[in-house]
Each structure stands twice: as structure tokens, then as C-alpha cells.
Amino acid sequence: MNLKQLLDDKVTAAMSAAGIADANAVVKQAQRIEFGHYQANGIMGAAKKQKANPRELAEQVLDQLGDDHNLHLEVAGPGFINITLTSDFLADALQNLQNNQRLGIEERPSKVIVVDYSAPNLAKEMHIGHLRSTTIGDATVRILEFLGQEVIRANHVGDWGAQFGSLLAYMDQLATQGEKLSSELKDLEKFYQSASALFKSDETFAAKARRFVVKLQSGDEKCRALWKEFIAESTRHCQAVYDQLNITLTPDDIMPESAYNDALPAVVEELEQRELLVESDGAKCVFLDEFKGKDGKPLPAIVQKSDGGYPYMATDLAAVRYRTNSLNAHEVLYFVGAQQLLHLRQVFAVATAGGYITNNQRFRHLPIGWVLKSDGTPFKTRDGADVKLIDVLDEAIDRAYKLVDEKNPDLSPEDKNNVANVIGIGAVKYAELSKNRVTDYIFDWDTMLSFEGNTAPYLQYAYTRIRSIFRRENILQKEITGEFHLTEKTETQLAVKLLQFSEAIDGVIEDYQANILCNYLFDLAGIFMSFYEACPVLKASEPHRTSRLLLCDLTARTLHKGLDLLGIETVEQM
Ligand code: ARG
């Protein structure tokens, strides 16, 4: 049950009955629900429109709301309606929530939603820049699946194109020198750097690299075999990162650029048939009015280069075509860096003009900002190389281990390792998830690993604290039965917050901002702490003891589910 929705519906009906036009819009405009008060403050605007006295209009709405013993209604100020949710109302609603496995989050009518996220370039190892698209995309698929959507994960990895020429040429060279490739490929980053260095310094090597690109693309067997070996190794690297990060992507979710290879000529042909193609400097381009360069000149979307090669644009058009025609997607979400804004706008526009996207299919780019160092510069190593993601994760776990060791030296080494893993990985992921995804953010170990503030360790710790209440007296959560009795202010506050979980989830998927759920969980944990300070639980007399245990249980379940939807694990003890 969504508390806000429930009240919105009630108020909308009353407004319509009181003669307010377009009550739906009036209600949507401005409602707040906080700490047991629901304020309907759109009435003044509506009154002005229909030249009515706002207080009188509010009184009429109030009359229509009728007598509900569980709601305390009043007209306030120049024409607000305040609805105070009484303890009985909240207790009732909580009882429903308590009995609801899904914590009030209803499934939605099922749609096919393709989520394009992570998508590293396989020529190199995953680096820290991939963290945001990967974690936010993965939280999104978890939430959408929980909402009953048919989610298709599309890991659009870069496994094709010119950069593979030097890699293959280098593999070939090492193989002829008798080196063991498998050991050389262990550090893909080094491998990539050595191959690129050779490409720059050695003209014979560069020529060979260029030949290898052509050979690869024309299906030469030896080149294909080398390429396959490289891609297999690189995919293993990615999967190791996903497993370590508790990301739901598997090798089956890889829909690489190369998979669209055979469809590229058809895309060009179809655009040609629609008379969208214009030749410019030998390249085939689409010019659409909405794209102009800084100088006001039309900006091309190049679908085939003058040498016959197909650029990134063409592959993305083929991917759109596949996602709508073959996957029957209703919606496609792209969690891709903000620097690809123009590229994806062009992809969607050309695909629409080409008839690949129709009216009822929704394509959305959800831009992702940069990860920066504390001095505001891009996150790179001292010599300017990308920071390998796997190294970041190892460091996170090491740092978390030290914290766990300090906090609870008596844990067994095995438990310490487990807790360090859960905290370290949780901290790194939460740091991404808890920010607006569009804005750049500064990666800072001390902030993200702190047990205070809006961090994973804080929430994970709050969860263990609640669980310890139950452990202390060997109470099984399943076995508490009884009713809610809310008398203290902090109890009411906690009740309202618990009832707003589904609202937070709605908030996330409106614009795919996971930070809305993070903020919700952080607020919930904070309100729980105030409740726990003000209200004894185990020592309270009945019926309060049971009621408070039920509140504790619901809070623990909500924190657990919320973190789970974000892809963050919890432990029972830390
Ligand atoms: N591989 C690309 C990169 O590393 C991201 C791909 C995003 N998805 C897409 N359909 N273009 O920049």
C-alpha cells in the first residue's frame, strides 16, 4: 500500500465532488506527507482559477472527505487541508504491512524492459569509471524485476573495431616468439599498453595491426581464433569483477558489438530505402534538422565511413533495431556516461526516423557522471593510467577488514573476512548509488567506509543492531504476533516512514535515481535510532513490548529488502 497514493485518491475524489476541475492535477501538484500530517495545498490555486474563496472551497472538500474516524481533518491557514493520521489509522496500515511479504510494494503490469548497462570495452580491464553504470544499472534491474517487469540485461561490451588490431598483432607476435599467451594475458591492462606502445613506435607492427583489423572483419580464421581467445580471457576478467561486486550480470547477458556485425549492411540499406542517407566526403550520413553544430551547420550521424567501415553509431542503430524488432522491448534504458549524450540522442532520433522505434516504445538515456579524485581531477593512477576496478575492490575489502578488526576483535577470522567483504563492497557500491547519478562525485575512502552518515556501513550496522535485539532474548521474528499500539511521537514517526517504502521505490523508477531509495533508508535508520533511544523495547510492558518488537521487525525487514534491491548485502552481526 502506498500511503500517499491512498490519501491522494481520497482527496482527489473529494475535490472532484466539491467541484474542483481537474482534481487529479491539483492533487499531484503539491502534497506533502510528513510525520503523520498530510497537507493538501493545491486548493488555493484551484480557488483562484474558479474565482472561489479558498477557505470555503477547502471546507467543501472537507465535507466531501466525510467522517473517517481514523483521520483527523482540518482546514488550516489560507486554505490548506491538513489530515492527521491517527494512531489507529497508522496501526491498521502497519498491520497490513506486517502481513505483506512484499512490504507494500505491488507488482506492476508487466513490460519488457531492456537495460543497457556496464558495457566495458573488452580491449582493456574494467576500470573505476565503469563502477557507476554497473552498480546503478544493476540496482535498477533488481528493482524492476521485483516490480514484476520482464527485464533483459544487455551488456553492450565493446569487442570489435580498430583497437583489436594491435592486440591481435601483439598476440600473434608473442605466439611466434614462443611466449605463453595465457600468462601474458593475466594483466590485460599491461597487455593493452604494450600493444599500443608498439603500435606507436614500430611502423612494421602498426601495418600488421591494420592488416589484422581487416582480416578479423573479413572473417580470417587465424585472426578470429586469436580474437576469440582474447575475448574469452577479457570476459573472464569482467565476470570476476561482477562476482566480487555482487552484480547480477552473467556471461549470458553479454550482447557484444560484434553480434550486430551481420545486421549492419541491412541497417544502411533500410535507411537508404527511407531516403535518409546523404553522401558526405564519401561517408554515408543522416542529417536531421534537430542536430546542428556550434557553427549552425548540420551535424551528420555517420552510419558508414568512406572506407566502408561501420562506426559506433551503426552498431547502436542495429542494437536498437534488434531490441525493438526481436526483443519486443517496450522500454530501453541506457545507463551510459553523460559524455555520450549527443551520440545517444542521434541514435534515438535516427532510429525513430528509420522506423525502428515506434510511438509506444520508450528509449531513454540515463546519463552517468564521472568519478573524481579529491582534487576534482579524473580518477587515474599517477602515470595517467586508468585505475583497475578489481584493485579498488581489493583495497575496499582490506580497509574494511581493518575496521572490523578494530570494532570487533573477537570475531572469528572467517567471520571477519565475510563481514569485511560485505562492508567493503557495500561501501563502494553505496557511494555510487547514494549520489544523483548525473553529477560527478569524489571517491573518498574515509567517507564511504564511515559508520556515520549516509553510508552502507551505517545502514548495515543499523540492521545488525535491530537483529541483536531479537537475538538477546532468542526471539524469532516470525513468532511475534500481536497488535500495534502507537503512543509515543517517535513511534508514529517510525510508522509513517515504514509506510512510505513503496513511495520511495516509485520515486526511484520515475527517473531511475537510486539515491532516492538510499535517502529513504538513511532516514528510516535515523528515525529508528531516535525511536530506540526514546522507547524501551524488551523492557517495556505489554502491549507496548509486542508493538515495539513488531516495529523493530518491520524496520529490519525494510532495511534488508531496501539494501537487497540496491544490491547490497547485510550480515547478522559485525
Ligand atoms: N562500450 C561503451 C563505452 O565503453 C559503452 C556502451 C554503452 N551502450 C551503448 N549501447 N552504446 O563507452
Side-chain angles (χ1 to χ4, degrees):
M1 190 217 44
N2 180 334
L3 190 57
K4 182 168 181 300
Q5 194 60 50
L6 187 105
L7 294 166
D8 277 354
D9 290 351
K10 264 186 201 290
V11 174
T12 309
M15 282 187 183
S16 299
I20 294 182
D22 205 3
N24 246 324
V26 177
V27 165
K28 286 259 143 45
Q29 232 173 48
Q31 310 297 326
R32 285 187 321 121
I33 169 160
E34 239 168 57
F35 301 133
H37 290 287
Y38 174 98
Q39 192 172 74
N41 43 9
I43 294 177
M44 276 102 69
K48 201 168 169 194
K49 256 201 204 137
Q50 56 197 69
K51 301 202 168 57
N53 174 317
R55 269 194 77 97
E56 274 168 23
L57 189 59
E59 291 290 353
Q60 283 161 23
V61 175
L62 207 67
D63 283 346
Q64 294 297 335
L65 278 166
D67 266 345
D68 186 333
H69 296 302
N70 281 336
L71 296 175
H72 180 257
L73 310 167
E74 69 185 348
V75 171
F80 302 119
I81 290 182
N82 276 346
I83 303 178
T84 308
L85 314 173
T86 64
S87 303
D88 285 348
F89 175 90
L90 291 171
D92 247 17
L94 282 177
Q95 207 78 51
N96 281 332
L97 199 61
Q98 173 68 15
N99 298 331
N100 185 317
Q101 287 295 325
R102 301 179 52 88
L103 293 164
I105 298 165
E106 283 161 22
E107 294 205 10
R108 319 210 151 186
S110 178
K111 279 190 291 186
V112 178
I113 305 182
V114 174
V115 187
D116 184 322
Y117 70 108
S118 193
N121 180 346
L122 293 187
K124 304 160 138 206
E125 266 182 63
M126 284 183 80
H127 58 81
I128 197 163
H130 294 114
L131 198 51
R132 299 193 82 181
S133 165
T134 305
T135 50
I136 300 174
D138 206 55
T140 306
V141 297
R142 287 169 194 258
I143 292 173
L144 290 174
E145 278 177 344
F146 188 61
L147 292 173
Q149 303 303 306
E150 195 182 318
V151 173
I152 300 175
R153 294 163 175 75
N155 195 358
H156 190 88
V157 298
D159 67 338
W160 205 239
Q163 55 194 328
F164 286 89
S166 19
L167 292 170
L168 300 184
Y170 190 49
M171 281 172 90
D172 186 58
Q173 177 167 323
L174 290 175
T176 35
Q177 285 166 2
E179 304 276 354
K180 258 195 94 139
L181 269 183
S182 55
S183 56
E184 294 291 329
L185 285 172
K186 279 225 163 62
D187 191 333
L188 281 188
E189 203 55 37
K190 254 202 212 127
F191 195 89
Y192 180 84
Q193 279 165 14
S194 313
S196 320
L198 263 183
F199 186 83
K200 278 186 209 127
S201 64
D202 181 342
E203 195 31 59
T204 334
F205 180 85
K208 179 173 171 176
R210 282 188 216 102
R211 275 199 313 280
F212 269 51
V213 182
V214 180
K215 280 188 178 182
L216 173 69
Q217 302 198 331
S218 59
D220 174 89
E221 259 176 46
K222 184 175 134 199
C223 273
R224 278 284 163 122
L226 283 175
W227 174 75
K228 276 200 182 133
E229 189 180 342
F230 185 90
I231 296 299
E233 182 61 32
S234 182
T235 309
R236 271 194 289 277
H237 278 251
C238 285
Q239 196 56 45
V241 171
Y242 295 149
D243 292 345
Q244 175 78 288
L245 252 185
N246 182 23
I247 293 295
T248 59
L249 287 167
T250 69
D252 288 344
D253 302 314
I254 294 185
M255 298 190 196
E257 288 184 11
S258 63
Y260 300 104
N261 225 15
D262 294 344
L264 300 174
V267 169
V268 172
E269 202 173 297
E270 285 158 11
L271 296 175
E272 183 86 70
Q273 274 164 16
R274 292 207 170 221
E275 297 178 357
L276 286 165
L277 292 189
V278 174
E279 202 144 303
S280 169
D281 292 331
K284 294 190 173 148
C285 309
V286 180
F287 288 94
L288 295 174
D289 288 344
E290 56 203 281
F291 299 101
K292 296 243 162 57
K294 278 199 200 87
D295 49 8
K297 287 214 188 98
L299 209 63
I302 304 174
V303 293
Q304 190 171 19
K305 295 186 285 187
S306 54
D307 64 3
Y310 297 97
Y312 189 47
M313 170 67 64
T315 313
D316 256 322
L317 289 170
V320 169
R321 179 177 178 265
Y322 175 71
R323 289 166 184 181
T324 52
N325 294 356
S326 303
L327 299 178
N328 297 315
H330 298 110
E331 209 167 310
V332 185
L333 309 175
Y334 291 71
F335 289 92
V336 178
Q339 69 279 16
Q340 295 193 30
L341 211 86
L342 175 64
H343 166 72
L344 286 173
R345 266 185 58 216
Q346 282 189 309
V347 169
F348 301 160
V350 174
T352 305
Y356 298 141
I357 303 179
T358 56
N359 278 340
N360 47 14
Q361 290 159 328
R362 194 156 183 230
F363 277 68
R364 289 180 74 180
H365 176 202
L366 303 154
I368 304 282
W370 292 91
V371 182
L372 304 174
K373 283 198 292 197
S374 57
D375 59 3
T377 60
F379 209 97
K380 299 263 179 190
T381 60
R382 228 170 294 141
D383 46 12
D386 287 326
V387 178
K388 285 204 262 175
L389 193 44
I390 199 82
D391 293 344
V392 174
L393 302 184
D394 288 344
E395 181 167 354
I397 295 169
D398 278 352
R399 286 177 180 258
Y401 190 94
K402 291 198 186 93
L403 291 176
V404 175
D405 203 28
E406 268 165 37
K407 230 178 152 65
N408 197 349
D410 299 334
L411 278 183
S412 73
E414 200 191 333
D415 282 343
K416 275 183 200 163
N417 275 328
N418 181 36
V419 176
N421 208 318
V422 168
I423 293 185
I425 297 297
V428 170
K429 291 178 89 173
Y430 194 86
E432 308 286 336
L433 294 162
S434 57
K435 313 288 183 311
N436 180 316
R437 65 175 156 69
V438 190
T439 38
D440 299 343
Y441 95 98
I442 288 174
F443 188 95
D444 182 68
W445 286 117
D446 294 335
T447 320
M448 70 176 78
L449 280 164
S450 167
F451 283 87
E452 275 153 47
N454 191 1
T455 65
Y458 169 76
L459 294 174
Q460 290 165 323
Y461 182 61
Y463 175 75
T464 59
R465 271 188 75 177
I466 307 177
R467 296 291 295 133
S468 77
I469 300 170
F470 290 86
R471 236 188 348 263
R472 233 174 286 159
E473 296 200 0
N474 276 323
I475 304 167
L476 288 178
Q477 283 174 289
K478 290 196 285 281
E479 285 171 2
I480 340 159
T481 47
E483 286 176 5
F484 289 91
H485 289 268
L486 311 170
T487 47
E488 300 301 315
K489 189 167 168 219
T490 52
E491 289 177 307
T492 327
Q493 288 173 339
L494 183 56
V496 171
K497 201 73 201 172
L498 286 167
L499 289 164
Q500 290 180 306
F501 187 33
S502 74
E503 215 176 294
I505 299 291
D506 290 348
V508 172
I509 61 165
E510 207 162 283
D511 197 30
Y512 300 100
Q513 289 280 13
N515 63 343
I516 294 182
L517 179 53
C518 297
N519 292 341
Y520 169 79
L521 295 174
F522 177 57
D523 286 349
L524 174 65
I527 292 173
F528 177 83
M529 295 299 184
S530 319
F531 151 80
Y532 194 51
E533 259 160 47
C535 302
V537 176
L538 293 172
K539 292 209 170 73
S541 57
E542 290 299 355
H544 302 289
R545 185 174 184 275
T546 297
S547 169
R548 287 173 190 169
L549 277 170
L550 287 169
L551 283 172
C552 291
D553 174 40
L554 259 179
T555 308
R557 280 167 58 199
T558 307
L559 283 175
H560 188 275
K561 187 71 208 170
L563 287 171
D564 179 53
L565 288 173
L566 291 170
I568 291 182
E569 292 179 295
T570 42
V571 285
E572 294 297 301
Q573 235 173 323
M574 55 170 60

